[in-house]
Amino acid sequence: ARHRSRGRDPLSALMVSHVTLALNKMTKLPQHPQPKHRSPQQLKRDFFEAVNGLFDRAHALLLHLNSRGLATVAHAAATMKRNDTALYESVVARVCEPSMFCNLTTQGFSNLVWSLGKARVENATVLRSMVSSLTGMVLKDDPQNEIQVSRFNVMDISNTLTGLGSTSSAHDPLVDRLLKRPVEPE
């Protein structure tokens, strides 16, 4: 069934899964769309207005997103070069809840760490604290967690190391564990 918004903001009717899907798709759109009956400036304004609306909606829905959705929101924010420290902090805090972290995949983890490496977080201490919270969860080697160093594939290792290196966390204990992990060719 279609939802009609009578006098409401159309973004308020978006469901959780639609928001993360839309953010994922928005990261793949050209940043400078070609004009069709509107000026390039108007198209750019419309594009960024839509993006801002989606991120506002995602922020409001953070408590309802699963671990994959949270990683998608962080990845989209970093890809679109958003300067939104509060968003990244909220995502990391939510992902580090044991009930969420146990469902985070190695791909989701590596994308999240990569996102923090690309994030525009100006306070380096806050950024390192977020990264440390995430890597500390992996280093616990909790059998309940999906994320075990032994499960990282080549892409997961690459994204995680890129993120850690970009956040001045190159001396994080997870780096040694990942570099010592034997990797099978895929």
Side-chain angles (χ1 to χ4, degrees):
R2 290 188 173 217
H3 297 282
R4 291 190 181 198
S5 56
R6 295 183 182 129
R8 292 189 327 217
D9 173 17
L11 289 176
S12 66
L14 285 176
M15 294 173 54
V16 173
S17 59
H18 295 134
V19 170
T20 56
L21 178 64
L23 285 171
N24 185 306
K25 297 298 181 192
M26 292 289 265
T27 63
K28 294 168 177 58
L29 291 174
Q31 296 289 324
H32 306 287
Q34 298 300 314
K36 289 185 180 179
H37 308 295
R38 289 188 287 182
S39 71
Q41 294 81 12
Q42 182 60 43
L43 285 171
K44 192 172 184 177
R45 266 193 307 275
D46 292 349
F47 176 78
F48 286 108
E49 185 177 308
V51 168
N52 288 332
L54 281 170
F55 276 108
D56 289 345
R57 187 70 181 135
H59 212 303
L61 292 171
L62 284 181
L63 291 177
H64 304 286
L65 294 177
N66 61 19
S67 54
R68 182 178 182 170
L70 291 165
T72 300
V73 168
H75 186 267
T79 300
M80 299 186 108
K81 300 177 176 134
R82 292 197 51 97
N83 184 5
D84 192 346
T85 302
L87 177 70
Y88 295 113
E89 286 180 307
S90 297
V91 166
V92 170
R94 181 89 170 104
V95 164
C96 286
E97 293 174 11
S99 62
M100 294 298 283
F101 198 83
C102 69
N103 294 313
L104 189 65
T105 64
T106 55
Q107 179 184 2
F109 175 83
S110 65
N111 286 347
L112 191 50
V113 173
W114 177 90
S115 299
L116 292 174
K118 296 296 178 188
R120 293 187 171 198
V121 176
E122 294 178 12
N123 186 331
T125 305
V126 168
L127 183 61
R128 280 192 297 277
S129 173
M130 286 189 280
V131 170
S132 176
S133 295
L134 285 170
T135 59
M137 296 292 286
V138 172
L139 293 171
K140 286 182 182 178
D141 276 335
D142 184 345
Q144 296 291 324
N145 292 342
E146 277 291 310
I147 301 175
Q148 308 260 326
V149 172
S150 61
R151 294 183 179 167
F152 277 67
N153 66 26
V154 174
M155 183 61 103
D156 298 335
I157 292 170
S158 174
N159 284 344
T160 301
L161 292 176
T162 299
L164 291 173
S166 299
T167 60
S168 302
S169 300
H171 300 294
D172 191 288
L174 182 57
V175 172
D176 289 335
R177 296 274 299 278
L178 289 172
L179 291 176
K180 290 177 182 170
R181 183 206 173 306
V183 179
E184 323 283 311
E186 292 182 14

Short mmCIF file of all heavy atoms in Angstrom, two decimals, residues 65-75 88 90-116 130-139 142-149 151-153 156 160 174:
data_model
loop_
_atom_site.label_atom_id
_atom_site.label_comp_id
_atom_site.label_asym_id
_atom_site.label_seq_id
_atom_site.Cartn_x
_atom_site.Cartn_y
_atom_site.Cartn_z
N LEU A 65 17.30 1.36 13.78
CA LEU A 65 18.11 0.72 12.74
C LEU A 65 18.84 -0.49 13.31
O LEU A 65 19.26 -0.49 14.47
CB LEU A 65 19.15 1.71 12.19
CG LEU A 65 18.60 2.91 11.43
CD1 LEU A 65 19.75 3.83 11.02
CD2 LEU A 65 17.82 2.49 10.21
N ASN A 66 19.02 -1.50 12.46
CA ASN A 66 19.84 -2.63 12.87
C ASN A 66 21.31 -2.29 12.60
O ASN A 66 21.62 -1.22 12.11
CB ASN A 66 19.40 -3.92 12.15
CG ASN A 66 19.54 -3.83 10.65
OD1 ASN A 66 20.27 -2.99 10.11
ND2 ASN A 66 18.85 -4.70 9.95
N SER A 67 22.20 -3.20 12.94
CA SER A 67 23.63 -2.90 12.81
C SER A 67 24.02 -2.63 11.35
O SER A 67 24.85 -1.76 11.08
CB SER A 67 24.48 -4.03 13.39
OG SER A 67 24.13 -5.27 12.82
N ARG A 68 23.40 -3.33 10.42
CA ARG A 68 23.70 -3.09 9.01
C ARG A 68 23.24 -1.70 8.58
O ARG A 68 23.94 -0.98 7.87
CB ARG A 68 23.03 -4.16 8.15
CG ARG A 68 23.33 -4.00 6.69
CD ARG A 68 22.67 -5.09 5.88
NE ARG A 68 23.02 -4.95 4.49
CZ ARG A 68 22.76 -5.84 3.58
NH1 ARG A 68 22.16 -6.98 3.91
NH2 ARG A 68 23.10 -5.64 2.33
N GLY A 69 22.06 -1.31 9.03
CA GLY A 69 21.54 0.03 8.71
C GLY A 69 22.42 1.12 9.30
O GLY A 69 22.67 2.15 8.66
N LEU A 70 22.91 0.90 10.51
CA LEU A 70 23.79 1.89 11.14
C LEU A 70 25.09 2.04 10.35
O LEU A 70 25.55 3.16 10.11
CB LEU A 70 24.09 1.48 12.58
CG LEU A 70 22.90 1.55 13.54
CD1 LEU A 70 23.19 0.78 14.82
CD2 LEU A 70 22.56 3.00 13.84
N ALA A 71 25.67 0.92 9.93
CA ALA A 71 26.90 0.98 9.13
C ALA A 71 26.63 1.68 7.79
O ALA A 71 27.47 2.44 7.31
CB ALA A 71 27.45 -0.43 8.90
N THR A 72 25.45 1.44 7.21
CA THR A 72 25.09 2.08 5.94
C THR A 72 24.97 3.59 6.11
O THR A 72 25.44 4.36 5.26
CB THR A 72 23.76 1.51 5.40
OG1 THR A 72 23.93 0.11 5.19
CG2 THR A 72 23.34 2.17 4.11
N VAL A 73 24.36 4.04 7.20
CA VAL A 73 24.22 5.48 7.45
C VAL A 73 25.60 6.12 7.60
O VAL A 73 25.87 7.17 7.00
CB VAL A 73 23.34 5.75 8.70
CG1 VAL A 73 23.43 7.19 9.14
CG2 VAL A 73 21.89 5.37 8.41
N ALA A 74 26.48 5.49 8.37
CA ALA A 74 27.83 6.05 8.56
C ALA A 74 28.60 6.06 7.24
O ALA A 74 29.28 7.04 6.91
CB ALA A 74 28.60 5.24 9.60
N HIS A 75 28.48 4.99 6.46
CA HIS A 75 29.16 4.91 5.18
C HIS A 75 28.66 6.00 4.22
O HIS A 75 29.45 6.67 3.55
CB HIS A 75 28.97 3.52 4.56
CG HIS A 75 29.75 3.30 3.32
ND1 HIS A 75 29.24 3.54 2.08
CD2 HIS A 75 31.03 2.86 3.14
CE1 HIS A 75 30.16 3.26 1.18
NE2 HIS A 75 31.25 2.85 1.79
N TYR A 88 27.95 10.43 13.79
CA TYR A 88 28.94 9.35 13.94
C TYR A 88 28.99 8.85 15.38
O TYR A 88 29.05 7.64 15.62
CB TYR A 88 30.33 9.81 13.50
CG TYR A 88 30.43 10.14 12.03
CD1 TYR A 88 30.64 11.44 11.60
CD2 TYR A 88 30.31 9.15 11.07
CE1 TYR A 88 30.73 11.74 10.25
CE2 TYR A 88 30.40 9.44 9.71
CZ TYR A 88 30.61 10.75 9.31
OH TYR A 88 30.70 11.04 7.98
N SER A 90 26.60 8.92 17.61
CA SER A 90 25.37 8.17 17.88
C SER A 90 25.42 6.79 17.26
O SER A 90 25.00 5.80 17.88
CB SER A 90 24.15 8.93 17.35
OG SER A 90 24.00 10.16 18.01
N VAL A 91 25.93 6.71 16.04
CA VAL A 91 26.03 5.42 15.35
C VAL A 91 26.98 4.49 16.12
O VAL A 91 26.65 3.33 16.39
CB VAL A 91 26.49 5.59 13.89
CG1 VAL A 91 26.93 4.27 13.28
CG2 VAL A 91 25.38 6.21 13.04
N VAL A 92 28.14 4.99 16.49
CA VAL A 92 29.13 4.16 17.20
C VAL A 92 28.58 3.73 18.56
O VAL A 92 28.70 2.56 18.94
CB VAL A 92 30.48 4.89 17.34
CG1 VAL A 92 31.42 4.15 18.29
CG2 VAL A 92 31.13 5.06 15.98
N ALA A 93 27.96 4.64 19.29
CA ALA A 93 27.40 4.29 20.59
C ALA A 93 26.35 3.19 20.44
O ALA A 93 26.33 2.23 21.22
CB ALA A 93 26.79 5.52 21.26
N ARG A 94 25.52 3.31 19.43
CA ARG A 94 24.46 2.31 19.21
C ARG A 94 25.05 0.96 18.78
O ARG A 94 24.65 -0.08 19.27
CB ARG A 94 23.49 2.84 18.17
CG ARG A 94 22.35 1.94 17.86
CD ARG A 94 21.16 2.21 18.78
NE ARG A 94 20.00 1.49 18.28
CZ ARG A 94 19.55 0.37 18.83
NH1 ARG A 94 20.11 -0.12 19.90
NH2 ARG A 94 18.51 -0.25 18.32
N VAL A 95 26.03 1.00 17.87
CA VAL A 95 26.66 -0.24 17.39
C VAL A 95 27.39 -0.95 18.53
O VAL A 95 27.43 -2.18 18.56
CB VAL A 95 27.62 0.06 16.21
CG1 VAL A 95 28.56 -1.11 15.96
CG2 VAL A 95 26.84 0.38 14.96
N CYS A 96 27.95 -0.20 19.46
CA CYS A 96 28.71 -0.81 20.56
C CYS A 96 27.83 -1.41 21.64
O CYS A 96 28.34 -2.03 22.58
CB CYS A 96 29.69 0.20 21.15
SG CYS A 96 31.10 0.49 20.07
N GLU A 97 26.51 -1.25 21.54
CA GLU A 97 25.62 -1.94 22.47
C GLU A 97 25.75 -3.43 22.17
O GLU A 97 25.69 -3.85 21.02
CB GLU A 97 24.18 -1.49 22.28
CG GLU A 97 23.93 -0.05 22.66
CD GLU A 97 22.52 0.43 22.32
OE1 GLU A 97 21.65 -0.41 21.97
OE2 GLU A 97 22.30 1.64 22.39
N PRO A 98 25.94 -4.25 23.20
CA PRO A 98 26.15 -5.69 22.96
C PRO A 98 25.08 -6.35 22.08
O PRO A 98 25.41 -7.19 21.25
CB PRO A 98 26.16 -6.29 24.37
CG PRO A 98 26.61 -5.17 25.25
CD PRO A 98 26.03 -3.92 24.62
N SER A 99 23.83 -5.95 22.24
CA SER A 99 22.77 -6.56 21.43
C SER A 99 22.89 -6.19 19.95
O SER A 99 22.43 -6.93 19.09
CB SER A 99 21.39 -6.13 21.95
OG SER A 99 21.24 -4.73 21.84
N MET A 100 23.53 -5.07 19.65
CA MET A 100 23.73 -4.67 18.26
C MET A 100 25.04 -5.23 17.72
O MET A 100 25.10 -5.73 16.61
CB MET A 100 23.76 -3.14 18.14
CG MET A 100 22.46 -2.46 18.47
SD MET A 100 21.12 -2.95 17.38
CE MET A 100 21.51 -2.02 15.95
N PHE A 101 26.09 -5.14 18.53
CA PHE A 101 27.42 -5.55 18.06
C PHE A 101 27.46 -7.03 17.71
O PHE A 101 28.14 -7.42 16.76
CB PHE A 101 28.49 -5.23 19.11
CG PHE A 101 29.86 -5.22 18.53
CD1 PHE A 101 30.34 -4.10 17.89
CD2 PHE A 101 30.67 -6.34 18.60
CE1 PHE A 101 31.61 -4.08 17.33
CE2 PHE A 101 31.94 -6.33 18.04
CZ PHE A 101 32.41 -5.20 17.39
N CYS A 102 26.69 -7.85 18.43
CA CYS A 102 26.72 -9.28 18.16
C CYS A 102 26.14 -9.60 16.78
O CYS A 102 26.38 -10.68 16.24
CB CYS A 102 26.01 -10.07 19.25
SG CYS A 102 24.24 -9.85 19.31
N ASN A 103 25.42 -8.68 16.17
CA ASN A 103 24.85 -8.89 14.83
C ASN A 103 25.61 -8.16 13.73
O ASN A 103 25.24 -8.25 12.57
CB ASN A 103 23.39 -8.46 14.81
CG ASN A 103 22.54 -9.33 15.69
OD1 ASN A 103 22.63 -10.55 15.64
ND2 ASN A 103 21.74 -8.71 16.52
N LEU A 104 26.64 -7.41 14.10
CA LEU A 104 27.42 -6.68 13.11
C LEU A 104 28.35 -7.65 12.39
O LEU A 104 29.02 -8.47 13.02
CB LEU A 104 28.25 -5.58 13.79
CG LEU A 104 28.98 -4.59 12.91
CD1 LEU A 104 27.99 -3.73 12.12
CD2 LEU A 104 29.86 -3.67 13.77
N THR A 105 28.37 -7.59 11.07
CA THR A 105 29.24 -8.47 10.30
C THR A 105 30.62 -7.85 10.17
O THR A 105 30.81 -6.66 10.45
CB THR A 105 28.66 -8.69 8.88
OG1 THR A 105 28.65 -7.42 8.20
CG2 THR A 105 27.26 -9.28 8.93
N THR A 106 31.57 -8.64 9.72
CA THR A 106 32.92 -8.09 9.49
C THR A 106 32.87 -7.01 8.42
O THR A 106 33.59 -6.02 8.51
CB THR A 106 33.92 -9.19 9.09
OG1 THR A 106 33.43 -9.89 7.96
CG2 THR A 106 34.16 -10.15 10.23
N GLN A 107 32.01 -7.17 7.41
CA GLN A 107 31.88 -6.15 6.38
C GLN A 107 31.31 -4.87 6.98
O GLN A 107 31.80 -3.78 6.71
CB GLN A 107 30.98 -6.63 5.25
CG GLN A 107 30.81 -5.57 4.16
CD GLN A 107 29.85 -6.00 3.06
OE1 GLN A 107 29.28 -7.07 3.11
NE2 GLN A 107 29.69 -5.14 2.08
N GLY A 108 30.28 -5.00 7.80
CA GLY A 108 29.69 -3.82 8.45
C GLY A 108 30.70 -3.12 9.34
O GLY A 108 30.81 -1.90 9.34
N PHE A 109 31.47 -3.91 10.10
CA PHE A 109 32.50 -3.35 10.97
C PHE A 109 33.55 -2.60 10.15
O PHE A 109 33.89 -1.46 10.46
CB PHE A 109 33.16 -4.44 11.81
CG PHE A 109 34.32 -3.94 12.63
CD1 PHE A 109 34.09 -3.35 13.85
CD2 PHE A 109 35.62 -4.05 12.17
CE1 PHE A 109 35.15 -2.86 14.61
CE2 PHE A 109 36.68 -3.58 12.91
CZ PHE A 109 36.45 -2.98 14.14
N SER A 110 34.06 -3.26 9.12
CA SER A 110 35.12 -2.64 8.32
C SER A 110 34.61 -1.38 7.61
O SER A 110 35.33 -0.39 7.51
CB SER A 110 35.73 -3.63 7.34
OG SER A 110 34.80 -4.03 6.36
N ASN A 111 33.36 -1.42 7.13
CA ASN A 111 32.79 -0.22 6.50
C ASN A 111 32.63 0.91 7.51
O ASN A 111 32.83 2.08 7.19
CB ASN A 111 31.44 -0.54 5.86
CG ASN A 111 31.57 -1.33 4.58
OD1 ASN A 111 32.65 -1.46 4.02
ND2 ASN A 111 30.47 -1.90 4.13
N LEU A 112 32.26 0.56 8.73
CA LEU A 112 32.10 1.57 9.77
C LEU A 112 33.44 2.20 10.13
O LEU A 112 33.55 3.43 10.24
CB LEU A 112 31.45 0.93 10.99
CG LEU A 112 30.96 1.84 12.09
CD1 LEU A 112 30.09 2.97 11.57
CD2 LEU A 112 30.18 1.02 13.11
N VAL A 113 34.48 1.38 10.31
CA VAL A 113 35.81 1.93 10.62
C VAL A 113 36.32 2.75 9.45
O VAL A 113 36.88 3.84 9.64
CB VAL A 113 36.80 0.80 11.01
CG1 VAL A 113 38.20 1.34 11.18
CG2 VAL A 113 36.34 0.12 12.29
N TRP A 114 36.10 2.28 8.21
CA TRP A 114 36.49 3.06 7.03
C TRP A 114 35.77 4.40 7.03
O TRP A 114 36.38 5.44 6.75
CB TRP A 114 36.14 2.27 5.76
CG TRP A 114 36.44 3.02 4.50
CD1 TRP A 114 37.60 3.02 3.80
CD2 TRP A 114 35.54 3.91 3.79
NE1 TRP A 114 37.49 3.85 2.70
CE2 TRP A 114 36.24 4.40 2.68
CE3 TRP A 114 34.23 4.33 4.01
CZ2 TRP A 114 35.67 5.30 1.78
CZ3 TRP A 114 33.66 5.22 3.12
CH2 TRP A 114 34.37 5.69 2.02
N SER A 115 34.48 4.38 7.36
CA SER A 115 33.69 5.60 7.40
C SER A 115 34.25 6.59 8.40
O SER A 115 34.32 7.80 8.13
CB SER A 115 32.23 5.29 7.76
OG SER A 115 31.65 4.44 6.82
N LEU A 116 34.65 6.10 9.57
CA LEU A 116 35.24 7.00 10.56
C LEU A 116 36.55 7.58 10.06
O LEU A 116 36.89 8.73 10.36
CB LEU A 116 35.44 6.28 11.88
CG LEU A 116 34.14 5.90 12.62
CD1 LEU A 116 34.46 5.06 13.85
CD2 LEU A 116 33.34 7.13 12.99
N MET A 130 35.97 6.97 19.43
CA MET A 130 34.97 6.17 18.73
C MET A 130 35.61 4.91 18.15
O MET A 130 35.09 3.81 18.28
CB MET A 130 34.31 6.99 17.62
CG MET A 130 33.33 8.03 18.12
SD MET A 130 32.38 8.79 16.78
CE MET A 130 33.53 9.98 16.13
N VAL A 131 36.77 5.08 17.51
CA VAL A 131 37.47 3.95 16.89
C VAL A 131 37.89 2.95 17.97
O VAL A 131 37.73 1.75 17.83
CB VAL A 131 38.69 4.44 16.07
CG1 VAL A 131 39.55 3.27 15.63
CG2 VAL A 131 38.23 5.24 14.87
N SER A 132 38.39 3.46 19.08
CA SER A 132 38.83 2.60 20.18
C SER A 132 37.66 1.80 20.75
O SER A 132 37.81 0.62 21.08
CB SER A 132 39.46 3.47 21.27
OG SER A 132 39.81 2.69 22.36
N SER A 133 36.49 2.41 20.83
CA SER A 133 35.30 1.69 21.31
C SER A 133 34.99 0.52 20.39
O SER A 133 34.69 -0.59 20.86
CB SER A 133 34.09 2.63 21.36
OG SER A 133 34.28 3.64 22.30
N LEU A 134 35.06 0.76 19.09
CA LEU A 134 34.76 -0.30 18.12
C LEU A 134 35.79 -1.42 18.16
O LEU A 134 35.44 -2.59 18.22
CB LEU A 134 34.68 0.28 16.72
CG LEU A 134 33.44 1.08 16.39
CD1 LEU A 134 33.61 1.79 15.05
CD2 LEU A 134 32.22 0.17 16.34
N THR A 135 37.07 -1.04 18.10
CA THR A 135 38.10 -2.07 18.05
C THR A 135 38.16 -2.85 19.36
O THR A 135 38.45 -4.04 19.36
CB THR A 135 39.49 -1.48 17.70
OG1 THR A 135 39.86 -0.52 18.69
CG2 THR A 135 39.48 -0.85 16.32
N GLY A 136 37.87 -2.19 20.47
CA GLY A 136 37.85 -2.87 21.76
C GLY A 136 36.81 -3.98 21.78
O GLY A 136 37.03 -5.05 22.38
N MET A 137 35.68 -3.76 21.11
CA MET A 137 34.64 -4.79 21.04
C MET A 137 35.13 -6.02 20.27
O MET A 137 34.82 -7.14 20.63
CB MET A 137 33.37 -4.23 20.39
CG MET A 137 32.70 -3.10 21.16
SD MET A 137 31.96 -3.61 22.72
CE MET A 137 30.51 -4.48 22.14
N VAL A 138 35.90 -5.80 19.20
CA VAL A 138 36.42 -6.92 18.40
C VAL A 138 37.47 -7.67 19.19
O VAL A 138 37.51 -8.91 19.18
CB VAL A 138 37.01 -6.42 17.06
CG1 VAL A 138 37.72 -7.54 16.34
CG2 VAL A 138 35.93 -5.82 16.19
N LEU A 139 38.32 -6.97 19.90
CA LEU A 139 39.42 -7.60 20.61
C LEU A 139 38.96 -8.44 21.80
O LEU A 139 39.73 -9.24 22.33
CB LEU A 139 40.43 -6.54 21.06
CG LEU A 139 41.16 -5.87 19.90
CD1 LEU A 139 41.98 -4.68 20.39
CD2 LEU A 139 42.04 -6.86 19.15
N ASP A 142 34.60 -12.24 21.82
CA ASP A 142 33.38 -12.82 22.38
C ASP A 142 32.79 -13.78 21.37
O ASP A 142 32.51 -13.42 20.24
CB ASP A 142 32.39 -11.68 22.68
CG ASP A 142 31.13 -12.16 23.36
OD1 ASP A 142 30.85 -13.38 23.36
OD2 ASP A 142 30.40 -11.30 23.89
N PRO A 143 32.59 -15.06 21.74
CA PRO A 143 32.04 -16.03 20.78
C PRO A 143 30.63 -15.67 20.31
O PRO A 143 30.17 -16.16 19.29
CB PRO A 143 32.05 -17.36 21.54
CG PRO A 143 32.37 -17.05 22.95
CD PRO A 143 32.88 -15.65 23.02
N GLN A 144 29.94 -14.78 21.05
CA GLN A 144 28.60 -14.34 20.65
C GLN A 144 28.66 -13.39 19.45
O GLN A 144 27.69 -13.24 18.72
CB GLN A 144 27.91 -13.61 21.81
CG GLN A 144 27.66 -14.47 23.01
CD GLN A 144 26.59 -15.52 22.74
OE1 GLN A 144 25.63 -15.26 22.04
NE2 GLN A 144 26.77 -16.70 23.30
N ASN A 145 29.79 -12.74 19.26
CA ASN A 145 29.94 -11.76 18.18
C ASN A 145 30.20 -12.44 16.85
O ASN A 145 30.94 -13.42 16.78
CB ASN A 145 31.09 -10.79 18.47
CG ASN A 145 30.82 -9.88 19.64
OD1 ASN A 145 29.67 -9.71 20.06
ND2 ASN A 145 31.86 -9.30 20.18
N GLU A 146 29.60 -11.90 15.82
CA GLU A 146 29.89 -12.35 14.45
C GLU A 146 31.32 -11.97 14.08
O GLU A 146 31.95 -12.62 13.27
CB GLU A 146 28.93 -11.68 13.47
CG GLU A 146 27.60 -12.34 13.33
CD GLU A 146 27.70 -13.70 12.66
OE1 GLU A 146 28.31 -13.82 11.60
OE2 GLU A 146 27.16 -14.66 13.25
N ILE A 147 31.80 -10.88 14.66
CA ILE A 147 33.10 -10.34 14.26
C ILE A 147 34.20 -11.01 15.05
O ILE A 147 34.31 -10.84 16.26
CB ILE A 147 33.16 -8.82 14.48
CG1 ILE A 147 32.08 -8.15 13.68
CG2 ILE A 147 34.53 -8.28 14.09
CD1 ILE A 147 31.98 -6.68 13.91
N GLN A 148 34.97 -11.79 14.34
CA GLN A 148 36.15 -12.44 14.89
C GLN A 148 37.26 -12.14 13.88
O GLN A 148 37.02 -12.16 12.68
CB GLN A 148 35.94 -13.94 14.99
CG GLN A 148 34.67 -14.34 15.70
CD GLN A 148 34.92 -14.75 17.13
OE1 GLN A 148 35.95 -15.33 17.42
NE2 GLN A 148 33.99 -14.47 17.98
N VAL A 149 38.43 -11.87 14.37
CA VAL A 149 39.54 -11.53 13.48
C VAL A 149 39.72 -12.64 12.43
O VAL A 149 40.01 -12.36 11.27
CB VAL A 149 40.84 -11.28 14.28
CG1 VAL A 149 42.03 -11.14 13.36
CG2 VAL A 149 40.68 -10.03 15.14
N ARG A 151 37.60 -14.19 10.85
CA ARG A 151 36.56 -14.13 9.81
C ARG A 151 36.76 -12.97 8.83
O ARG A 151 36.00 -12.85 7.87
CB ARG A 151 35.18 -14.00 10.44
CG ARG A 151 34.79 -15.23 11.22
CD ARG A 151 33.40 -15.10 11.76
NE ARG A 151 33.04 -16.30 12.49
CZ ARG A 151 31.99 -16.39 13.26
NH1 ARG A 151 31.18 -15.38 13.40
NH2 ARG A 151 31.74 -17.51 13.89
N PHE A 152 37.72 -12.10 9.06
CA PHE A 152 37.94 -10.96 8.17
C PHE A 152 38.48 -11.45 6.83
O PHE A 152 39.44 -12.21 6.78
CB PHE A 152 38.96 -9.98 8.77
CG PHE A 152 38.38 -9.02 9.76
CD1 PHE A 152 37.88 -9.45 10.97
CD2 PHE A 152 38.34 -7.66 9.48
CE1 PHE A 152 37.34 -8.57 11.89
CE2 PHE A 152 37.82 -6.77 10.39
CZ PHE A 152 37.32 -7.22 11.60
N ASN A 153 37.86 -11.02 5.74
CA ASN A 153 38.41 -11.33 4.42
C ASN A 153 39.34 -10.19 4.01
O ASN A 153 39.55 -9.23 4.76
CB ASN A 153 37.29 -11.59 3.39
CG ASN A 153 36.46 -10.36 3.09
OD1 ASN A 153 36.89 -9.21 3.23
ND2 ASN A 153 35.22 -10.58 2.67
N ASP A 156 37.71 -6.72 4.06
CA ASP A 156 37.47 -6.27 5.44
C ASP A 156 38.77 -5.75 6.07
O ASP A 156 38.77 -4.71 6.73
CB ASP A 156 36.92 -7.41 6.30
CG ASP A 156 35.58 -7.95 5.82
OD1 ASP A 156 34.84 -7.20 5.16
OD2 ASP A 156 35.29 -9.12 6.12
N THR A 160 39.39 -1.86 7.09
CA THR A 160 39.66 -1.59 8.50
C THR A 160 41.01 -0.90 8.66
O THR A 160 41.11 0.10 9.39
CB THR A 160 39.62 -2.89 9.32
OG1 THR A 160 38.32 -3.49 9.17
CG2 THR A 160 39.89 -2.63 10.79
N LEU A 174 44.32 -3.85 17.26
CA LEU A 174 43.66 -4.60 16.20
C LEU A 174 44.53 -4.66 14.95
O LEU A 174 44.51 -5.63 14.21
CB LEU A 174 42.29 -4.00 15.87
CG LEU A 174 41.47 -4.72 14.81
CD1 LEU A 174 41.21 -6.18 15.19
CD2 LEU A 174 40.15 -4.00 14.58
#
